[in-house]
Amino acid sequence: MPDAILEVTDLVKHYPLTQGIVFKKQVGAVKAVDGVSFSLGQGETLGIVGESGCGKSTVARLLVSLERPTAGSITYRGEDVTRLSPKALRAVRRNIQMVFQDPYTSLNPRMTVGDIIGEPYEIHPEVAPKGDRRRRVQELLDVVGLNPEYVNRYPHQFSGGQRQRIGIARGLALRPEIIVADEPVSALDVSVQAQVVNLLEKLQDEFGLAYVFIAHDLSIVRHISDRVGVMYLGRIVETGTDAQIYDHPTHPYTQALLSAVPVPDPGARLRRERIILSGDVPSPADPPSGCRFRTRCWKAQERCATEVPPLHVPPEFRLPVTPASHPSACHFAAEKRVVPPAPPSDPK
Ligand code: ADP
Ligand code: MG
């Protein structure tokens, strides 16, 4: 396991909830991210998974400094990014780039592909002299599997998969060390999702990139991740290596997410019980007390309403990962898996 290049510690992002137009009295806060910690090694892929509304995109925006956290730190190569001067932050931002979820809305329709991919050079002109940019952009097109002659075309002339390749090329323009990919294939046809994931893997090998790869679906993350963090209502509830999370999930939320993943092998399908999660994710403005998952959990007991189960991260987990470390924020994580009661035959 390589050294950590990024350390995220107790990251918090609360959005104030206000009432009134003139005085904007604060009446509460949306706790979008509420104490998230993880590390990322050089060339490593960390998958972050959770249902919609769990705070994944907020974590992504914080990582690339599009937003400032309410509390906590993001340390890149020893420097706390959240405390840097704007000038120093600029240099760091070059190294941590984002690929956005929806290539239909994240590419400016009035700009040519060349201008879109070359836009980062406007912000960081020191990376590429003006006369050199077109050649660089064409090379980037080639790297992501598009014809370099497409440089003067517009986004609408491309398919969804091709557009996401353009988004990836833009993310690569400054030769970053880390790419934060926020559900990079969710908006694409299933048939092209694997192609884009394969491209990301190829680029990782070629350029030694580290990825934070966000998805709401465990099956996509499995393909690409070395380690996985499962997020629920602003917190990470379980982390582990790919094998720990998929073969021995200990948090009921992870178990439920996994049970929804289609299994190609019919034998394995029989061995795995289907867990139906009832209800939606509660509001992050008013999360349940104690364990936030308890309102949807079949294992919940009284204790879960009063005691927050800590995500105990043993020091040895931080890096390198040892097989023994597999933190899970459930009071009953150590117990043998309990089969949930069968869902009612008619869920309505
Ligand atoms: P995910 O990407 O996992 O779907 P998000 O990070 O987009 O989750 O959102 C987490 C929660 O924070 C949601 O309840 C969302 O409505 C809220 N949220 C996100 N951005 C803002 C914002 N700028 N202002 C207020 N609430 C926000
Ligand atoms: Mg999102």
Side-chain angles (χ1 to χ4, degrees):
M1 174 61 64
D3 290 341
I5 50 174
L6 191 74
E7 284 271 358
V8 173
T9 310
D10 298 329
L11 198 61
V12 173
K13 181 69 187 180
H14 289 181
Y15 295 105
L17 270 176
T18 55
Q19 220 169 43
I21 298 159
V22 181
F23 293 108
K24 289 201 192 296
K25 187 171 147 230
Q26 187 173 342
V27 290
V30 178
K31 298 173 180 122
V33 176
D34 213 18
V36 162
S37 303
F38 59 81
S39 56
L40 182 71
Q42 195 168 11
E44 187 194 23
T45 301
L46 174 72
I48 295 187
V49 179
E51 283 165 289
S52 182
C54 284
K56 306 180 299 294
S57 294
T58 306
V59 168
R61 289 195 301 272
L62 293 170
L63 291 180
V64 299
S65 309
L66 281 175
E67 289 185 38
R68 290 251 169 191
T70 309
S73 65
I74 300 169
T75 306
Y76 170 70
R77 293 206 169 271
E79 277 188 302
D80 183 355
V81 176
T82 63
R83 280 166 221 280
L84 290 179
S85 68
K87 187 158 173 261
L89 180 63
R90 234 176 115 256
V92 168
R93 285 175 77 168
R94 241 182 77 182
N95 289 306
I96 311 176
Q97 292 286 311
M98 178 120 152
V99 172
F100 293 91
Q101 174 167 2
D102 188 347
Y104 293 92
T105 56
S106 62
L107 306 182
N108 187 335
R110 284 178 209 89
M111 281 167 73
T112 64
V113 164
D115 288 340
I116 291 171
I117 298 174
E119 201 178 20
Y121 300 133
E122 302 291 329
I123 306 158
H124 295 274
E126 72 283 4
V127 178
K130 259 215 152 81
D132 201 24
R133 290 186 196 163
R134 194 181 163 85
R135 212 172 46 83
R136 281 182 180 245
V137 166
Q138 288 188 316
E139 186 184 325
L140 285 163
L141 280 169
D142 187 48
V143 158
V144 298
L146 293 174
N147 187 337
E149 286 167 19
Y150 292 170
V151 65
N152 292 324
R153 295 194 180 185
Y154 288 87
H156 74 265
Q157 295 173 282
F158 294 89
S159 69
Q162 288 174 324
R163 285 186 210 206
Q164 196 54 304
R165 286 172 193 263
I166 295 165
I168 292 167
R170 177 176 58 187
L172 289 174
L174 300 172
R175 288 297 313 264
E177 191 168 26
I178 298 170
I179 291 221
V180 179
D182 185 10
E183 303 207 33
V185 298
S186 302
L188 305 179
D189 279 356
V190 175
S191 57
V192 296
Q193 286 184 352
Q195 292 169 19
V196 173
V197 171
N198 290 343
L199 170 67
L200 286 168
E201 285 191 308
K202 183 191 93 144
L203 296 170
Q204 179 166 46
D205 288 346
E206 271 179 38
F207 304 121
L209 297 162
Y211 289 144
V212 175
F213 190 103
I214 295 171
H216 61 258
D217 180 343
L218 268 166
S219 59
I220 286 171
V221 167
R222 166 152 222 185
H223 194 74
I224 192 165
S225 303
D226 302 304
R227 285 186 301 135
V228 176
V230 179
M231 243 185 121
Y232 188 75
L233 262 186
R235 295 200 175 138
I236 288 182
V237 296
E238 182 168 2
T239 51
T241 60
D242 171 29
Q244 285 168 336
I245 295 292
Y246 289 89
D247 300 337
H248 306 286
T250 65
H251 197 287
Y253 183 55
T254 313
Q255 293 168 354
L257 284 182
L258 263 177
S259 85
V261 172
V263 183
D265 163 16
R269 196 179 303 152
L270 287 178
R271 285 194 298 276
R272 189 191 278 176
E273 320 83 31
R274 184 92 166 85
I275 303 167
I276 314 269
L277 281 181
S278 57
D280 293 326
V281 181
S283 164
D286 186 21
S289 64
C291 171
R292 294 185 173 188
F293 184 59
R294 71 177 165 83
T295 54
R296 300 167 81 195
C297 182
W298 64 93
K299 280 186 180 175
Q301 296 182 19
E302 256 171 54
R303 176 180 175 197
C304 304
T306 53
E307 271 178 60
V308 178
L311 178 69
H312 181 63
V313 186
E316 70 273 18
F317 178 73
R318 295 224 130 185
L319 284 174
V321 172
T322 68
S325 56
H326 172 190
S328 175
C330 173
H331 292 306
F332 313 108
E335 284 178 11
K336 232 177 139 285
R337 177 164 177 186
V338 180
V339 179
S345 48
D346 179 10
K348 290 272 141 61

